Coordinates of all heavy atoms in Angstrom, one line a residue:
M772 N 20.5 -3.1 11.1 CA 19.6 -1.9 10.8 C 20.2 -1.1 9.6 O 21.3 -0.9 9.5 CB 19.6 -1.0 12.1 CG 18.8 0.2 12.0 SD 18.4 0.9 13.6 CE 20.1 1.3 14.1
T773 N 19.2 -0.7 8.8 CA 19.6 0.1 7.6 C 19.6 1.6 8.0 O 18.7 2.1 8.6 CB 18.6 -0.1 6.5 OG1 18.6 -1.5 6.2 CG2 19.1 0.7 5.3
R774 N 20.7 2.3 7.6 CA 20.8 3.7 8.0 C 21.1 4.4 6.6 O 22.0 4.1 5.9 CB 22.0 3.8 8.9 CG 22.1 5.2 9.6 CD 23.1 5.1 10.7 NE 22.6 4.8 12.0 CZ 22.3 5.6 12.9 NH1 22.3 6.9 12.7 NH2 21.8 5.2 14.1
R775 N 20.2 5.4 6.3 CA 20.3 6.1 5.1 C 20.3 7.6 5.3 O 19.5 8.1 6.1 CB 19.1 5.7 4.2 CG 19.3 6.1 2.8 CD 18.2 5.5 2.0 NE 16.9 6.1 2.3 CZ 15.8 5.9 1.7 NH1 15.8 5.0 0.7 NH2 14.6 6.4 2.0
I776 N 21.1 8.3 4.5 CA 21.1 9.7 4.6 C 20.1 10.3 3.6 O 20.2 10.0 2.4 CB 22.5 10.3 4.3 CG1 23.6 9.6 5.1 CG2 22.5 11.8 4.4 CD1 23.5 9.9 6.6
F777 N 19.2 11.1 4.1 CA 18.2 11.7 3.2 C 18.8 13.0 2.7 O 19.2 13.9 3.4 CB 16.9 12.0 4.0 CG 15.8 12.4 3.2 CD1 15.1 11.5 2.5 CD2 15.4 13.8 3.1 CE1 14.0 11.8 1.7 CE2 14.4 14.1 2.3 CZ 13.7 13.2 1.6
R778 N 18.8 13.1 1.4 CA 19.5 14.2 0.6 C 19.0 15.6 1.1 O 17.7 15.8 1.2 CB 19.2 14.0 -0.8 CG 20.1 14.9 -1.7 CD 19.5 15.0 -3.1 NE 19.9 13.8 -3.9 CZ 20.2 13.9 -5.1 NH1 20.2 15.0 -5.8 NH2 20.5 12.8 -5.8
Y779 N 19.9 16.5 1.3 CA 19.6 17.9 1.7 C 19.1 18.1 3.1 O 19.3 19.2 3.6 CB 18.6 18.5 0.8 CG 19.0 18.5 -0.7 CD1 18.1 18.0 -1.6 CD2 20.2 19.0 -1.1 CE1 18.5 18.0 -3.0 CE2 20.6 19.0 -2.4 CZ 19.7 18.5 -3.3 OH 20.1 18.5 -4.6
V780 N 18.5 17.1 3.7 CA 17.9 17.3 5.1 C 18.8 16.6 6.1 O 19.2 15.5 6.0 CB 16.6 16.7 5.1 CG1 15.9 16.9 6.4 CG2 15.7 17.3 4.0
P781 N 19.2 17.4 7.2 CA 20.1 16.8 8.1 C 19.5 15.9 9.1 O 19.5 16.0 10.3 CB 20.7 18.1 8.9 CG 19.6 19.0 8.8 CD 18.9 18.8 7.4
F782 N 18.9 14.9 8.6 CA 18.3 13.8 9.4 C 18.6 12.5 8.8 O 18.8 12.3 7.6 CB 16.7 13.9 9.4 CG 16.2 15.0 10.3 CD1 16.0 16.3 9.7 CD2 15.8 14.7 11.6 CE1 15.5 17.3 10.5 CE2 15.3 15.8 12.4 CZ 15.2 17.0 11.8
T783 N 18.8 11.5 9.6 CA 18.9 10.1 9.1 C 17.5 9.4 9.5 O 16.8 9.8 10.4 CB 20.0 9.3 9.9 OG1 19.8 9.4 11.3 CG2 21.3 9.8 9.5
I784 N 17.2 8.4 8.6 CA 16.0 7.7 8.8 C 16.4 6.3 9.3 O 17.1 5.6 8.7 CB 15.2 7.6 7.5 CG1 14.8 8.9 6.9 CG2 13.9 6.7 7.7 CD1 14.2 8.9 5.5
V785 N 15.9 6.0 10.5 CA 16.3 4.8 11.1 C 15.0 4.0 11.6 O 14.0 4.5 11.8 CB 17.2 5.0 12.4 CG1 18.5 5.7 12.0 CG2 16.5 5.8 13.5
Q786 N 15.2 2.7 11.6 CA 14.1 1.9 12.0 C 13.9 2.1 13.5 O 14.8 2.1 14.3 CB 14.4 0.4 11.7 CG 13.3 -0.6 12.0 CD 13.6 -2.0 11.7 OE1 14.5 -2.6 12.2 NE2 12.8 -2.6 10.7
D787 N 12.6 2.2 13.9 CA 12.2 2.4 15.3 C 12.5 1.1 16.1 O 11.7 0.1 15.8 CB 10.8 2.9 15.3 CG 10.3 3.1 16.8 OD1 11.2 2.9 17.7 OD2 9.2 3.7 16.9
A788 N 13.4 1.1 16.9 CA 13.8 -0.1 17.6 C 12.7 -0.4 18.7 O 12.8 -1.5 19.3 CB 15.2 0.0 18.3
T789 N 11.8 0.5 19.0 CA 10.8 0.3 20.1 C 9.6 -0.4 19.6 O 8.7 -0.8 20.3 CB 10.5 1.6 20.8 OG1 9.7 2.4 19.8 CG2 11.7 2.3 21.3
A790 N 9.5 -0.6 18.2 CA 8.3 -1.2 17.6 C 8.8 -2.3 16.8 O 9.7 -2.2 16.0 CB 7.6 -0.2 16.8
E791 N 8.2 -3.5 17.0 CA 8.6 -4.7 16.2 C 8.1 -4.6 14.8 O 7.0 -4.1 14.5 CB 8.0 -5.9 16.8 CG 8.7 -6.4 18.1 CD 8.2 -7.6 18.6 OE1 7.0 -8.0 18.4 OE2 9.0 -8.4 19.2
P792 N 9.0 -5.0 13.8 CA 8.5 -5.0 12.4 C 7.4 -6.2 12.3 O 7.3 -7.0 13.1 CB 9.8 -5.4 11.7 CG 10.7 -6.0 12.6 CD 10.4 -5.4 14.0
E793 N 6.7 -6.1 11.2 CA 5.7 -7.1 10.9 C 5.9 -7.8 9.6 O 6.0 -7.2 8.6 CB 4.3 -6.4 10.9 CG 4.0 -5.6 12.2 CD 2.8 -4.7 12.1 OE1 2.2 -4.6 11.0 OE2 2.4 -4.2 13.1
Y794 N 5.9 -9.1 9.7 CA 6.0 -9.9 8.5 C 4.7 -10.8 8.4 O 4.2 -11.3 9.4 CB 7.2 -10.9 8.6 CG 8.5 -10.2 8.7 CD1 9.0 -9.8 9.9 CD2 9.3 -10.0 7.5 CE1 10.2 -9.1 10.0 CE2 10.5 -9.4 7.6 CZ 11.0 -9.0 8.8 OH 12.2 -8.4 8.9
E795 N 4.2 -10.9 7.1 CA 3.1 -11.8 6.9 C 3.1 -12.3 5.5 O 3.6 -11.6 4.6 CB 1.8 -11.2 7.3 CG 1.4 -9.9 6.5 CD 0.1 -9.2 7.0 OE1 -0.8 -10.0 7.4 OE2 0.1 -8.1 6.9
A796 N 2.4 -13.3 5.2 CA 2.2 -13.8 3.9 C 0.8 -14.4 3.7 O 0.1 -14.8 4.6 CB 3.2 -15.0 3.6
R797 N 0.3 -14.3 2.4 CA -1.0 -14.8 2.0 C -0.8 -15.7 0.8 O -0.1 -15.3 -0.1 CB -1.9 -13.6 1.7 CG -3.4 -14.1 1.5 CD -4.3 -12.9 1.2 NE -4.2 -12.5 -0.2 CZ -3.8 -11.3 -0.6 NH1 -3.5 -10.3 0.3 NH2 -3.7 -10.9 -1.9
C798 N -1.4 -16.8 0.8 CA -1.4 -17.7 -0.3 C -2.2 -17.2 -1.4 O -3.4 -16.9 -1.3 CB -1.8 -19.1 0.1 SG -1.8 -20.3 -1.3
V799 N -1.6 -17.0 -2.6 CA -2.3 -16.5 -3.8 C -2.3 -17.5 -4.9 O -2.5 -17.1 -6.1 CB -1.7 -15.1 -4.3 CG1 -1.9 -14.0 -3.2 CG2 -0.2 -15.3 -4.6
S800 N -2.1 -18.8 -4.5 CA -2.2 -19.8 -5.5 C -3.6 -20.0 -6.0 O -4.6 -19.8 -5.2 CB -1.7 -21.1 -4.9 OG -0.3 -21.0 -4.5
G801 N -3.8 -20.5 -7.2 CA -5.1 -20.7 -7.7 C -5.3 -20.0 -9.0 O -4.8 -18.9 -9.2
D802 N -6.0 -20.6 -9.9 CA -6.3 -20.1 -11.3 C -7.4 -19.0 -11.3 O -7.2 -17.9 -11.6 CB -6.5 -21.1 -12.3 CG -5.3 -22.0 -12.5 OD1 -4.2 -21.5 -12.3 OD2 -5.4 -23.2 -12.8
D803 N -8.6 -19.5 -10.9 CA -9.8 -18.6 -10.9 C -9.8 -17.7 -9.7 O -10.0 -16.5 -9.8 CB -11.0 -19.4 -11.0 CG -11.1 -20.2 -12.3 OD1 -10.4 -19.7 -13.3 OD2 -11.6 -21.3 -12.3
S804 N -9.7 -18.3 -8.5 CA -9.7 -17.5 -7.3 C -8.6 -18.0 -6.4 O -8.3 -19.2 -6.4 CB -11.1 -17.7 -6.6 OG -11.2 -19.0 -6.2
E805 N -8.0 -17.0 -5.8 CA -6.8 -17.4 -5.0 C -7.2 -18.1 -3.6 O -8.3 -17.8 -3.1 CB -5.9 -16.2 -4.7 CG -6.6 -15.1 -3.9 CD -5.7 -13.8 -3.9 OE1 -5.0 -13.5 -4.9 OE2 -5.6 -13.2 -2.8
C806 N -6.3 -18.9 -3.1 CA -6.5 -19.6 -1.9 C -6.9 -18.7 -0.7 O -7.9 -18.9 0.0 CB -5.3 -20.5 -1.6 SG -5.3 -21.2 0.0
G807 N -6.0 -17.7 -0.5 CA -6.3 -16.7 0.6 C -5.9 -17.0 2.0 O -6.1 -16.3 2.9
A808 N -5.3 -18.2 2.1 CA -4.9 -18.6 3.5 C -3.8 -17.6 3.9 O -2.9 -17.1 3.2 CB -4.3 -20.0 3.5
E809 N -3.8 -17.2 5.2 CA -2.9 -16.2 5.7 C -2.0 -16.8 6.8 O -2.5 -17.6 7.7 CB -3.7 -15.0 6.2 CG -4.3 -14.3 5.1 CD -5.2 -13.1 5.5 OE1 -5.6 -13.1 6.7 OE2 -5.4 -12.2 4.7
S810 N -0.8 -16.3 6.9 CA 0.1 -16.8 8.0 C -0.1 -16.1 9.3 O 0.3 -16.6 10.3 CB 1.6 -16.4 7.5 OG 1.8 -15.0 7.5
G811 N -0.8 -14.9 9.3 CA -0.8 -14.1 10.5 C 0.4 -13.2 10.5 O 1.3 -13.4 9.7
V812 N 0.4 -12.3 11.5 CA 1.5 -11.3 11.6 C 2.5 -11.8 12.6 O 2.2 -12.2 13.7 CB 1.0 -9.9 12.0 CG1 2.1 -8.9 12.1 CG2 0.0 -9.4 10.9
W813 N 3.8 -11.7 12.2 CA 4.9 -12.2 13.0 C 6.0 -11.2 13.0 O 6.2 -10.4 12.1 CB 5.5 -13.5 12.5 CG 4.5 -14.6 12.5 CD1 3.7 -14.9 11.5 CD2 4.2 -15.5 13.6 NE1 2.9 -16.0 11.9 CE2 3.2 -16.4 13.1 CE3 4.8 -15.7 14.9 CZ2 2.7 -17.4 14.0 CZ3 4.3 -16.7 15.7 CH2 3.2 -17.5 15.2
P814 N 6.8 -11.1 14.1 CA 7.9 -10.1 14.2 C 9.2 -10.5 13.5 O 10.1 -9.7 13.4 CB 8.1 -10.0 15.7 CG 7.7 -11.3 16.3 CD 6.6 -11.8 15.4
H815 N 9.2 -11.8 13.0 CA 10.4 -12.2 12.3 C 10.0 -13.0 11.0 O 8.8 -13.6 11.0 CB 11.2 -13.2 13.1 CG 11.6 -12.6 14.4 ND1 12.6 -11.6 14.5 CD2 11.2 -12.7 15.7 CE1 12.8 -11.2 15.7 NE2 11.9 -11.9 16.5
P816 N 10.7 -13.0 9.9 CA 10.4 -13.7 8.7 C 10.4 -15.3 8.9 O 9.7 -16.0 8.1 CB 11.4 -13.3 7.7 CG 12.6 -12.8 8.5 CD 12.0 -12.3 9.8
A817 N 11.1 -15.8 9.9 CA 11.3 -17.2 10.0 C 9.9 -17.9 10.2 O 9.7 -18.9 9.6 CB 12.2 -17.6 11.1
E818 N 9.1 -17.4 11.0 CA 7.8 -18.0 11.3 C 6.9 -18.0 10.1 O 6.2 -19.0 9.8 CB 7.0 -17.2 12.4 CG 7.6 -17.4 13.8 CD 8.6 -16.3 14.2 OE1 9.2 -15.7 13.2 OE2 8.9 -16.1 15.3
V819 N 7.0 -16.9 9.3 CA 6.2 -16.8 8.1 C 6.7 -17.9 7.1 O 5.9 -18.6 6.4 CB 6.3 -15.4 7.4 CG1 5.6 -15.4 6.1 CG2 5.7 -14.4 8.4
E820 N 8.0 -18.0 7.0 CA 8.5 -19.0 6.0 C 8.2 -20.4 6.4 O 7.9 -21.3 5.6 CB 10.1 -18.9 5.9 CG 10.4 -17.6 5.2 CD 11.9 -17.3 5.3 OE1 12.7 -18.1 5.8 OE2 12.3 -16.2 4.8
E821 N 8.2 -20.7 7.7 CA 7.8 -22.0 8.3 C 6.3 -22.3 7.9 O 6.0 -23.4 7.5 CB 8.0 -22.0 9.7 CG 7.7 -23.4 10.4 CD 8.5 -24.6 9.8 OE1 9.6 -24.3 9.3 OE2 8.0 -25.7 9.9
W822 N 5.5 -21.3 8.1 CA 4.0 -21.4 7.7 C 3.9 -21.7 6.2 O 3.1 -22.6 5.8 CB 3.3 -20.1 8.1 CG 1.8 -20.2 7.6 CD1 0.8 -20.8 8.3 CD2 1.3 -19.7 6.4 NE1 -0.3 -20.7 7.5 CE2 -0.1 -20.0 6.3 CE3 1.9 -19.0 5.3 CZ2 -0.9 -19.6 5.3 CZ3 1.1 -18.7 4.2 CH2 -0.3 -19.0 4.2
Q823 N 4.7 -21.0 5.4 CA 4.6 -21.3 3.9 C 5.0 -22.7 3.6 O 4.3 -23.4 2.8 CB 5.5 -20.3 3.2 CG 5.0 -18.9 3.1 CD 6.0 -18.0 2.3 OE1 6.5 -17.1 2.8 NE2 6.3 -18.4 1.1
R824 N 6.1 -23.2 4.2 CA 6.5 -24.6 4.0 C 5.4 -25.6 4.3 O 5.2 -26.5 3.6 CB 7.8 -24.8 4.7 CG 9.0 -24.1 4.2 CD 10.3 -24.7 4.7 NE 11.4 -24.0 4.1 CZ 11.9 -22.9 4.6 NH1 11.5 -22.4 5.7 NH2 12.9 -22.2 4.0
K825 N 4.8 -25.3 5.5 CA 3.7 -26.2 5.9 C 2.6 -26.2 5.0 O 2.0 -27.2 4.6 CB 3.2 -25.9 7.4 CG 4.0 -26.5 8.5 CD 3.4 -26.3 9.8 CE 4.3 -26.7 11.0 NZ 3.9 -26.0 12.2
H826 N 2.2 -24.9 4.6 CA 1.0 -24.8 3.7 C 1.3 -25.5 2.4 O 0.4 -26.1 1.8 CB 0.7 -23.3 3.6 CG -0.6 -23.1 2.8 ND1 -1.8 -23.3 3.3 CD2 -0.8 -22.6 1.5 CE1 -2.8 -23.0 2.5 NE2 -2.2 -22.6 1.3
T827 N 2.5 -25.3 1.9 CA 2.8 -25.9 0.5 C 2.8 -27.4 0.7 O 2.3 -28.1 -0.2 CB 4.2 -25.4 0.1 OG1 4.1 -24.0 -0.2 CG2 4.6 -26.2 -1.2
Q828 N 3.3 -27.9 1.8 CA 3.3 -29.3 2.0 C 1.9 -29.9 2.0 O 1.6 -31.0 1.5 CB 4.1 -29.6 3.3 CG 4.5 -31.1 3.5 CD 5.4 -31.3 4.7 OE1 5.8 -30.3 5.4 NE2 5.8 -32.5 4.9
E829 N 1.0 -29.2 2.7 CA -0.4 -29.7 2.9 C -1.2 -29.5 1.6 O -2.1 -30.3 1.4 CB -1.0 -28.9 4.1 CG -0.4 -29.3 5.4 CD -0.9 -28.3 6.5 OE1 -1.6 -27.3 6.2 OE2 -0.4 -28.5 7.6
T830 N -0.9 -28.5 0.8 CA -1.8 -28.1 -0.2 C -1.3 -28.2 -1.6 O -2.0 -28.2 -2.6 CB -2.4 -26.7 -0.1 OG1 -1.3 -25.8 -0.1 CG2 -3.1 -26.5 1.3
G831 N 0.1 -28.2 -1.7 CA 0.7 -28.1 -3.0 C 0.8 -26.7 -3.5 O 1.3 -26.5 -4.6
H832 N 0.2 -25.7 -2.8 CA 0.3 -24.3 -3.3 C 1.7 -23.7 -3.2 O 2.4 -24.0 -2.2 CB -0.7 -23.5 -2.4 CG -2.1 -23.8 -2.6 ND1 -3.1 -23.4 -1.7 CD2 -2.7 -24.6 -3.5 CE1 -4.3 -23.9 -2.1 NE2 -4.0 -24.6 -3.2
T833 N 2.1 -23.0 -4.2 CA 3.5 -22.5 -4.2 C 3.6 -21.0 -4.4 O 4.8 -20.5 -4.5 CB 4.2 -23.2 -5.4 OG1 3.5 -23.0 -6.6 CG2 4.3 -24.7 -5.2
R834 N 2.6 -20.2 -4.5 CA 2.7 -18.8 -4.7 C 2.1 -18.0 -3.6 O 1.0 -18.2 -3.2 CB 2.1 -18.4 -6.0 CG 2.4 -17.0 -6.5 CD 2.1 -16.9 -8.0 NE 2.5 -15.6 -8.4 CZ 1.7 -14.5 -8.5 NH1 0.4 -14.7 -8.2 NH2 2.1 -13.3 -8.9
Y835 N 2.9 -17.1 -3.1 CA 2.5 -16.3 -1.9 C 2.7 -14.8 -2.1 O 3.7 -14.4 -2.8 CB 3.3 -16.7 -0.7 CG 3.0 -18.1 -0.2 CD1 3.8 -19.1 -0.8 CD2 2.1 -18.4 0.7 CE1 3.5 -20.4 -0.5 CE2 1.8 -19.8 1.0 CZ 2.6 -20.7 0.4 OH 2.3 -22.1 0.8
R836 N 1.9 -14.0 -1.5 CA 2.2 -12.5 -1.5 C 2.7 -12.2 -0.1 O 2.1 -12.6 0.9 CB 0.9 -11.7 -1.7 CG 1.2 -10.2 -1.6 CD -0.1 -9.4 -1.9 NE 0.0 -8.0 -1.4 CZ 0.6 -7.1 -2.1 NH1 1.2 -7.3 -3.3 NH2 0.7 -5.9 -1.6
R837 N 3.8 -11.6 0.0 CA 4.4 -11.3 1.4 C 4.3 -9.7 1.7 O 4.6 -8.9 0.8 CB 5.9 -11.7 1.4 CG 6.0 -13.2 1.2 CD 7.4 -13.7 1.5 NE 8.5 -13.1 0.7 CZ 9.7 -13.4 0.8 NH1 10.1 -14.3 1.7 NH2 10.6 -12.9 0.0
N838 N 4.0 -9.5 2.9 CA 4.0 -8.1 3.3 C 5.0 -7.9 4.5 O 5.2 -8.7 5.3 CB 2.6 -7.7 3.9 CG 1.6 -7.4 2.8 OD1 1.9 -7.0 1.6 ND2 0.4 -7.7 3.0
F839 N 5.6 -6.7 4.4 CA 6.6 -6.3 5.5 C 6.3 -4.9 5.8 O 6.1 -4.1 5.0 CB 8.0 -6.5 5.0 CG 9.0 -5.8 5.9 CD1 9.3 -6.4 7.2 CD2 9.6 -4.6 5.6 CE1 10.2 -5.8 8.0 CE2 10.5 -4.0 6.4 CZ 10.8 -4.5 7.6
A840 N 6.2 -4.7 7.1 CA 6.0 -3.3 7.6 C 6.9 -3.0 8.8 O 7.2 -3.9 9.6 CB 4.5 -3.0 8.0
D841 N 7.4 -1.8 8.9 CA 8.1 -1.4 10.1 C 7.9 0.1 10.4 O 7.2 0.7 9.6 CB 9.6 -1.7 10.0 CG 10.3 -0.9 9.0 OD1 9.7 -0.1 8.3 OD2 11.6 -1.0 8.9
Y842 N 8.4 0.6 11.5 CA 8.2 1.9 11.8 C 9.6 2.6 11.7 O 10.6 2.1 12.0 CB 7.8 2.1 13.3 CG 6.4 1.5 13.5 CD1 6.2 0.2 13.7 CD2 5.2 2.4 13.4 CE1 4.9 -0.3 13.8 CE2 4.0 1.9 13.5 CZ 3.8 0.5 13.7 OH 2.6 0.0 13.9
A843 N 9.6 3.9 11.1 CA 10.8 4.6 10.9 C 10.7 6.0 11.7 O 9.7 6.5 11.8 CB 11.0 4.9 9.4
V844 N 11.9 6.4 12.2 CA 11.9 7.7 12.8 C 13.0 8.5 12.2 O 14.0 8.0 11.7 CB 12.2 7.5 14.4 CG1 11.0 6.9 15.1 CG2 13.4 6.7 14.7
M845 N 12.8 9.8 12.2 CA 13.8 10.8 11.7 C 14.7 11.2 12.9 O 14.2 11.7 13.9 CB 13.1 12.0 11.2 CG 12.0 11.7 10.2 SD 12.6 10.9 8.7 CE 13.5 12.3 7.9
E846 N 16.0 11.0 12.8 CA 16.9 11.4 13.8 C 17.9 12.5 13.3 O 18.4 12.3 12.2 CB 17.8 10.2 14.3 CG 16.9 9.2 15.1 CD 17.8 8.1 15.7 OE1 19.0 8.0 15.3 OE2 17.3 7.4 16.5
P847 N 18.1 13.5 14.1 CA 19.1 14.6 13.6 C 20.4 14.0 13.5 O 20.8 13.1 14.2 CB 19.0 15.6 14.8 CG 17.8 15.3 15.5 CD 17.5 13.8 15.3
L848 N 21.2 14.4 12.5 CA 22.5 14.0 12.3 C 23.4 14.4 13.5 O 23.3 15.5 14.0 CB 23.2 14.5 11.0 CG 22.7 13.9 9.7 CD1 23.3 14.6 8.6 CD2 23.1 12.5 9.7
D849 N 24.3 13.5 13.9 CA 25.1 13.8 15.1 C 26.0 14.9 14.8 O 26.6 15.1 13.7 CB 26.0 12.5 15.4 CG 25.1 11.4 15.9 OD1 24.0 11.6 16.3 OD2 25.6 10.2 15.7
G850 N 26.2 15.8 15.8 CA 27.2 16.8 15.7 C 26.8 18.0 14.9 O 27.6 19.0 14.7
L851 N 25.7 18.1 14.3 CA 25.3 19.2 13.5 C 24.6 20.2 14.4 O 23.7 19.9 15.1 CB 24.3 18.8 12.4 CG 25.0 18.2 11.1 CD1 23.9 17.8 10.1 CD2 25.9 19.2 10.5
P852 N 25.0 21.5 14.3 CA 24.3 22.5 15.0 C 22.9 22.7 14.5 O 22.7 22.6 13.3 CB 25.2 23.8 14.8 CG 25.9 23.5 13.5 CD 26.1 22.0 13.5
T853 N 21.9 23.0 15.3 CA 20.6 23.2 14.8 C 20.6 24.6 14.0 O 21.3 25.5 14.4 CB 19.6 23.4 16.0 OG1 20.1 24.4 16.9 CG2 19.5 22.0 16.8
G854 N 19.8 24.6 13.1 CA 19.7 25.8 12.3 C 20.7 25.8 11.1 O 20.7 26.8 10.3
L855 N 21.5 24.8 11.0 CA 22.4 24.8 9.8 C 21.6 24.7 8.5 O 20.7 24.0 8.4 CB 23.3 23.5 9.9 CG 24.4 23.3 8.9 CD1 25.4 24.4 9.1 CD2 25.0 22.0 9.0
E856 N 22.1 25.5 7.6 CA 21.4 25.5 6.3 C 21.5 24.1 5.6 O 22.6 23.6 5.5 CB 21.9 26.6 5.4 CG 21.5 28.0 5.8 CD 22.2 29.0 5.0 OE1 22.4 28.7 3.8 OE2 22.5 30.1 5.5
P857 N 20.4 23.6 5.1 CA 20.5 22.3 4.5 C 21.5 22.2 3.3 O 22.2 21.2 3.1 CB 19.1 22.0 3.9 CG 18.2 22.9 4.9 CD 19.1 24.1 5.2
A858 N 21.7 23.4 2.6 CA 22.5 23.4 1.4 C 24.0 23.2 1.8 O 24.8 22.8 1.1 CB 22.4 24.7 0.7
R859 N 24.3 23.5 3.1 CA 25.7 23.4 3.5 C 26.1 22.0 4.1 O 27.2 21.7 4.4 CB 26.0 24.4 4.6 CG 26.0 25.8 4.0 CD 26.0 26.9 5.1 NE 27.2 26.8 5.9 CZ 27.4 27.4 7.1 NH1 26.5 28.1 7.6 NH2 28.6 27.2 7.7
V860 N 25.1 21.2 4.2 CA 25.3 19.8 4.7 C 26.0 19.0 3.6 O 25.5 19.0 2.4 CB 24.0 19.2 5.1 CG1 24.2 17.7 5.5 CG2 23.3 19.9 6.2
T861 N 27.0 18.3 4.0 CA 27.6 17.4 3.0 C 26.7 16.3 2.6 O 26.1 15.6 3.4 CB 28.9 16.8 3.7 OG1 29.7 17.8 4.1 CG2 29.6 15.9 2.6
R862 N 26.6 16.2 1.3 CA 25.7 15.2 0.8 C 26.3 13.8 0.7 O 27.5 13.7 0.4 CB 25.1 15.6 -0.6 CG 23.9 16.4 -0.5 CD 23.3 16.6 -1.9 NE 23.9 17.8 -2.5 CZ 24.0 18.0 -3.8 NH1 23.5 17.2 -4.6 NH2 24.5 19.1 -4.3
V863 N 25.6 12.8 1.0 CA 26.1 11.5 0.8 C 25.4 10.8 -0.4 O 24.2 10.8 -0.5 CB 25.8 10.6 2.1 CG1 26.2 9.2 1.9 CG2 26.5 11.3 3.3
R864 N 26.2 10.4 -1.3 CA 25.7 9.8 -2.6 C 25.2 8.4 -2.3 O 25.8 7.6 -1.6 CB 26.8 9.7 -3.6 CG 26.9 11.0 -4.4 CD 28.0 10.8 -5.4 NE 28.3 12.0 -6.1 CZ 27.6 12.4 -7.2 NH1 26.7 11.6 -7.7 NH2 27.9 13.5 -7.8
A865 N 24.0 8.2 -2.8 CA 23.5 6.8 -2.8 C 24.3 6.0 -3.9 O 24.4 6.5 -5.0 CB 22.0 6.7 -3.1
S866 N 24.8 4.9 -3.6 CA 25.6 4.2 -4.5 C 24.7 3.5 -5.5 O 23.6 3.2 -5.3 CB 26.5 3.2 -3.8 OG 25.8 2.3 -3.0
Ligands
ZN102 ZN1 -3.1 -22.0 -0.4

């Protein structure tokens, strides 16, 4: 899980563990018009990659557009009193 500090605001943004992320791919191979075949939505990338391998094997198509979606929630930083001024929160630099 990726955990990131949002600058100035005493919240962390975390992936919502109660909702499954969504992975999908669509075949965009073709010169004039794209193929358009779709993998369907899956909770893991492995199923999508397997679908791509099969589709490429069957059609020779090699170019796909992939979509990923998940849900994020804002969580208060641990140990911070409510009402703390944002300016006094120690900032964490993004590397
Ligand atoms: Zn295709």
Side-chain angles (χ1 to χ4, degrees):
M772 180 166 59
T773 303
R774 198 172 264 268
R775 190 174 69 171
I776 308 296
F777 191 76
R778 194 198 278 217
Y779 301 126
V780 181
F782 284 88
T783 53
I784 301 173
V785 299
Q786 188 177 59
D787 184 354
T789 67
E791 288 187 325
E793 300 171 352
Y794 297 84
E795 61 182 326
R797 185 180 82 240
C798 179
V799 294
S800 299
D802 294 329
D803 296 330
S804 61
E805 62 187 40
C806 167
E809 293 175 339
S810 67
V812 178
W813 298 89
H815 304 287
E818 290 93 340
V819 175
E820 290 172 5
E821 182 59 24
W822 175 83
Q823 285 181 240
R824 289 196 178 88
K825 271 188 192 158
H826 186 72
T827 294
Q828 196 171 356
E829 291 166 359
T830 63
H832 295 166
T833 55
R834 191 160 181 268
Y835 297 86
R836 175 179 167 83
R837 299 194 296 183
N838 283 330
F839 166 73
D841 67 357
Y842 296 84
V844 291
M845 311 296 289
E846 287 186 352
L848 282 176
D849 293 338
L851 280 179
T853 55
L855 182 69
E856 290 176 28
R859 293 171 60 194
V860 175
T861 304
R862 271 187 272 158
V863 176
R864 273 179 185 276
S866 52

